[in-house]
Amino acid sequence: MPSEFELIERHFSRATPQATLGPGDDCALLTPTPGMSLAITTDMLVAGTHFLPDTDPGQLGWKTLAVNLSDLAAMGARPRWALLAASLPAADTAWIGAFADGLFACASHYGVDVVGGDTTRGPLNLCLTALGELPAGTALQRNHAVPGDELWVSGQPGLAALGLAQLQGRTQLPAELARRCLDALQRPMARVELGLELRQRGLAHAAIDVSDGLLADLDHILKRSGVAAEVFVAQLPPLPTGVDPLLARQCQLAGGDDYELVFSAPPDKRAEITELAAQLALPLWRFGLVVGTGDSRLRLLDADGQAQAFNERGFDHFG
């Protein structure tokens, strides 16, 4: 059975051209670009909580990095480095090799160097730290939404939650839709290019990635900015066909694991945002409006402007 250091050397020691010193010493040495701020995020993925224990290890390797890069995307940062700490139940070289291949495929796609980490024996638990850069003082933050801003979301929120429902036997999706939903769940795409463009072009005031559910994450922006919002349900992405519409709507509004971006932007940026959607070949949906503070931070309105009740907000580890 290979030792811890043999596993690291075999599967996780790869070239790190963006690092002054990569894996193999007590610390990695990184040199940020002059004049840039570091954006740093960490996320933990626990078997049975964040993914099913029989998840394909290659897809899990991709997702472990992608969910962290999504946080960088939400702030408009360019990803550069990552570190992985992993608790593994056994030195299963086939599983670890497939996981590492997925991790480094994601790293290559987004131009990230994996510069270090740690492994130990224990319940399957993956904790990744990602670092990115952006010019000082330019980060997209949750607390900058203002009344009058329009609310936008990328992609098609809810697909990942439908994929989980399929795996758990709570629904039976048509084959093509099932494939799309499982891809969204197991191999999410971090919207790095969108975040960079929103920041560089000055299109957005506030942004967040959708990890716990569209309404739950939007509520973080509203709370931090001290504002309220109206969500126009009819302007959200069309629900997929071939599935119970009530389940599809629940997944869209409260499902997690989408890693799409929600952002607020002034109305005079609408045309530029529409052009950006075409440039990126990524649908961007204008679905709401930031308003002044009121009795409720978040109101859902139907096509006739009537308030809709919806009690679920999203995933909470301790809720």
Side-chain angles (χ1 to χ4, degrees):
M1 179 178 295
S3 70
E4 172 189 0
F5 298 104
E6 288 170 335
L7 285 174
I8 293 172
E9 180 66 27
R10 182 185 306 175
H11 298 292
F12 296 102
S13 295
R14 309 198 186 187
T16 54
Q18 298 184 91
T20 306
L21 180 66
D25 217 309
D26 289 296
C27 296
L29 299 178
L30 311 177
T31 304
T33 305
M36 303 290 270
S37 291
L38 286 177
I40 304 172
T41 183
T42 189
D43 260 319
M44 186 181 301
L45 276 69
V46 179
T49 300
H50 300 94
F51 60 92
L52 299 177
D54 62 352
T55 296
D56 175 84
Q59 292 176 324
L60 183 59
W62 176 286
K63 184 172 183 176
T64 299
L65 178 55
V67 301
N68 281 266
L69 300 186
S70 181
D71 285 333
L72 297 182
M75 301 197 80
R78 185 177 300 281
R80 294 205 58 190
W81 305 287
L83 300 98
L84 172 69
S87 169
L88 305 170
D92 182 338
T93 56
W95 191 97
I96 294 170
F99 174 87
D101 287 345
L103 176 77
F104 283 98
C106 186
S108 176
H109 181 84
Y110 291 102
V112 173
D113 284 356
V114 180
V115 296
D118 187 33
T119 59
T120 188
R121 182 187 293 272
L124 184 54
N125 184 348
L126 307 161
C127 185
L128 192 136
T129 298
L131 300 90
E133 288 185 329
L134 70 171
T138 67
L140 300 174
Q141 298 178 216
R142 299 178 183 182
N143 62 341
H144 288 171
V146 297
D149 275 358
E150 296 176 333
L151 294 170
W152 296 77
V153 64
S154 64
Q156 191 166 3
L159 293 187
L162 280 173
L164 180 60
Q166 169 87 359
L167 291 178
Q168 294 176 331
R170 293 186 286 118
T171 188
Q172 185 62 47
L173 304 175
E176 177 58 23
L177 177 59
R179 183 196 61 77
R180 289 175 56 212
C181 292
L182 291 175
D183 281 350
L185 174 67
Q186 298 173 335
R187 200 176 186 275
M189 301 300 295
R191 302 303 187 188
V192 170
E193 191 172 4
L194 173 60
L196 289 172
E197 293 289 342
L198 291 175
R199 174 183 60 77
Q200 292 168 350
R201 299 189 190 190
L203 297 179
H205 284 153
I208 193 170
D209 74 323
V210 182
S211 56
D212 294 328
L214 176 62
L215 297 185
D217 289 311
L218 171 59
D219 196 56
H220 293 316
I221 288 180
L222 304 180
K223 184 176 181 180
R224 291 294 302 276
S225 298
V227 294
E230 295 175 344
V231 170
F232 311 129
V233 176
Q235 293 180 203
L236 286 165
L239 298 178
T241 58
V243 60
D244 175 12
L246 291 179
L247 175 63
R249 183 69 77 193
Q250 180 186 40
C251 289
Q252 183 181 71
L253 295 177
D257 262 4
D258 286 307
Y259 304 102
E260 299 291 351
L261 295 189
V262 169
F263 59 95
S264 77
D268 62 5
K269 301 296 185 182
R270 187 187 302 175
E272 290 182 71
I273 293 170
T274 302
E275 291 173 5
L276 178 59
Q279 174 190 322
L280 299 180
L282 174 65
L284 299 176
W285 306 88
R286 182 171 52 87
F287 73 96
L289 184 68
V290 177
V291 297
T293 57
D295 294 335
S296 175
R297 280 202 304 269
L298 185 57
R299 288 204 310 155
L300 271 64
L301 304 178
D302 63 18
D304 297 320
Q306 299 300 308
Q308 286 191 321
F310 190 82
N311 295 323
E312 294 192 44
R313 284 292 186 263
F315 183 75
D316 183 344
H317 286 283
F318 301 101

